[in-house]
Amino acid sequence: MGVQQEAGVGGEALEVWIDQDLCTGDGICAQYAPEVFELDIDGLAYVKTPDDELLQGKGATTPVPLPLLTDVVDSARECPGDCIHVRRVSDRVEIYGPDAEPDAE
């Protein structure tokens, strides 16, 4: 994908992570944003690095590329397991997902 821009609200960088304890393995996230999410052999979704490396560590995060911001946010909103978390890098405040603060956007 070349040089990736990190998405942000008001220009701030965002990152995304998945709580595998809540993942239902539906794969909606991988359908919306296959560049960011992937289902592994265990049937759970994980985030990937910009270089397409699957990150399986607990709480592993990856930057949200600006062109994929809408797809990543839609993934978080549509996820049946409510396990996708999008937060600002600067203060780690969740702005999309199950723990999002109401006025964080």
Side-chain angles (χ1 to χ4, degrees):
M1 197 187 274
V3 177
Q4 294 199 3
Q5 292 178 292
E6 293 176 20
V9 176
E12 291 192 68
L14 300 179
E15 62 188 4
V16 60
W17 66 281
I18 296 176
D19 183 344
Q20 279 77 30
D21 291 338
L22 299 175
C23 181
T24 59
D26 285 270
I28 291 171
C29 56
Q31 291 175 4
Y32 275 110
E35 302 89 346
V36 177
F37 306 107
E38 183 175 321
L39 290 177
D40 197 19
I41 195 164
D42 63 4
L44 301 178
Y46 295 87
V47 295
K48 301 189 301 187
T49 68
D51 296 327
D52 214 33
E53 176 188 346
L54 198 62
L55 300 175
Q56 295 176 300
K58 186 172 180 82
T61 64
T62 197
V64 176
L66 183 57
L68 299 176
L69 176 59
T70 300
D71 294 334
V72 170
V73 170
D74 287 345
S75 296
R77 289 181 175 154
E78 298 296 323
C79 177
D82 270 343
C83 64
I84 300 173
H85 304 263
V86 181
R87 65 186 179 199
R88 289 190 299 251
V89 172
S90 62
D91 59 8
R92 299 174 61 103
V93 170
E94 186 164 320
I95 58 172
Y96 303 107
D99 299 329
E101 296 189 5
D103 294 326
E105 290 184 45

